[in-house]
C-alpha cells in the first residue's frame, strides 16, 4: 500500500520501488525472481503496477499475499483519484499542483533510467549474446525508426522462439554426439 500510495509514474516506477523494498531491504526475494516477475507483469494484460504487485504478493505469501497486494495496490489510487475528481476545478487551475507534477515527471524519469540501467547490467551478466543484441536493437527500432511497440514485441517474441529452437536443436545434436 505504501509503494502504491507514494509512487507516481506507473508500473515502470513501481518495479524499482519493489526491488528496493522486497529484494534489498527485506530480502524476501532475489533480483532474478523480481526480473522474471517484471517480465511476466509487462507481458500480461493490465496495469504493470497491479500485475507486478499481485505476482510479488503471490511469490511471498501465496493467495493471501496476492489478495493483500492487489488490495494494497488499488486502494490508494482509488482514494486519490476520488479526491481529485471531487476537486477537479481546484486542481486543474492550481499552479502549485502543476509545478509539483512537473517535478514528479523528472523524478519518475530518473527512476526509470536507473531501472533500465540495472536491467541492462543484469542481462550483460548472463552473457547471452542474443539478449545483449536485442536491447539496443529494440531501442533503435523504437526511437530511431518509430516502429510501433506492439510490432517490436511481436518481433522479439518470434526472434526468441527462433533462438530458443536453434539452441534446443544444437543441444540435441551435441547430446547425440556424446
Amino acid at each position: 500500500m505504501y509503494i502504491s500510495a507514494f509512487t507516481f509514474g506507473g508500473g515502470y516506477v513501481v518495479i524499482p520501488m519493489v526491488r528496493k523494498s522486497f529484494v534489498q531491504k527485506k530480502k524476501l526475494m532475489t533480483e532474478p525472481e523480481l526480473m522474471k516477475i517484471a517480465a511476466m507483469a509487462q507481458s500480461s494484460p493490465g496495469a504493470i503496477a497491479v500485475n507486478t504487485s499481485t505476482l510479488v504478493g503471490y511469490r511471498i505469501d501465496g493467495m493471501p499475499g496476492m489478495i493483500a497486494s492487489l488490495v494494497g495496490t488499488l486502494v490508494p489510487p482509488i482514494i486519490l483519484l476520488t479526491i481529485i475528481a471531487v476537486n477537479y476545478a481546484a486542481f486543474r487551475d492550481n499552479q502549485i499542483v502543476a509545478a509539483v507534477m512537473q517535478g514528479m515527471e523528472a523524478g519518475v524519469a530518473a527512476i526509470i533510467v536507473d531501472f533500465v540501467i540495472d536491467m541492462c547490467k543484469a542481462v550483460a551478466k548472463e552473457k547471452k549474446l542474443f539478449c545483449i543484441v536485442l536491447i539496443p536493437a529494440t531501442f533503435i527500432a523504437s526511437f530511431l525508426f518509430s516502429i510501433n511497440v506492439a510490432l517490436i514485441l511481436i518481433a522479439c517474441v518470434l526472434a526468441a522462439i527462433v533462438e530458443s529452437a536453434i539452441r534446443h536443436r544444437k543441444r540435441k545434436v551435441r547430446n547425440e554426439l556424446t
Side-chain angles (χ1 to χ4, degrees), residues 62-75:
M63 193 61 77
M66 183 179 83
I67 292 168
S69 291
L70 181 62
V71 170
T73 301
L74 295 177
V75 168

Side-chain angles (χ1 to χ4, degrees), residues 18-111:
V18 168
R19 186 172 125 245
K20 184 177 181 181
S21 181
F22 292 97
V23 175
Q24 294 173 345
K25 286 185 180 175
K26 297 178 182 173
K27 301 198 186 305
L28 293 171
M29 59 191 328
T30 65
E31 187 85 26
E33 287 174 318
L34 179 60
M35 289 299 120
K36 287 178 184 175
I37 286 173
M40 286 188 287
Q42 291 173 2
S43 60
S44 301
I48 294 170
V50 175
N51 293 345
T52 301
S53 67
T54 303
L55 291 168
V56 168
Y58 185 79
R59 161 58 188 84
I60 291 171
D61 195 32
M63 193 61 77
M66 183 179 83
I67 292 168
S69 291
L70 181 62
V71 170
T73 301
L74 295 177
V75 168
I78 288 171
I79 291 171
L80 183 62
L81 289 174
T82 301
I83 292 168
I84 291 171
V86 169
N87 300 299
Y88 177 72
F91 280 105
R92 180 190 64 212
D93 300 330
N94 190 315
Q95 290 181 350
I96 294 171
V97 171
V100 167
M101 295 302 272
Q102 281 185 322
M104 292 167 89
E105 285 179 15
V108 166
I111 290 170

Side-chain angles (χ1 to χ4, degrees), residues 99-150:
V100 167
M101 295 302 272
Q102 281 185 322
M104 292 167 89
E105 285 179 15
V108 166
I111 290 170
I112 291 172
V113 167
D114 181 53
F115 180 65
V116 168
I117 289 169
D118 287 347
M119 282 181 55
C120 290
K121 286 179 183 176
V123 168
K125 280 182 185 177
E126 291 184 21
K127 297 179 182 176
K128 292 183 180 176
L129 182 62
F130 175 77
C131 295
I132 292 170
V133 169
L134 200 60
I135 292 171
T138 56
F139 175 78
I140 290 168
S142 176
F143 189 72
L144 295 180
F145 297 110
S146 299
I147 297 174
N148 185 300
V149 175

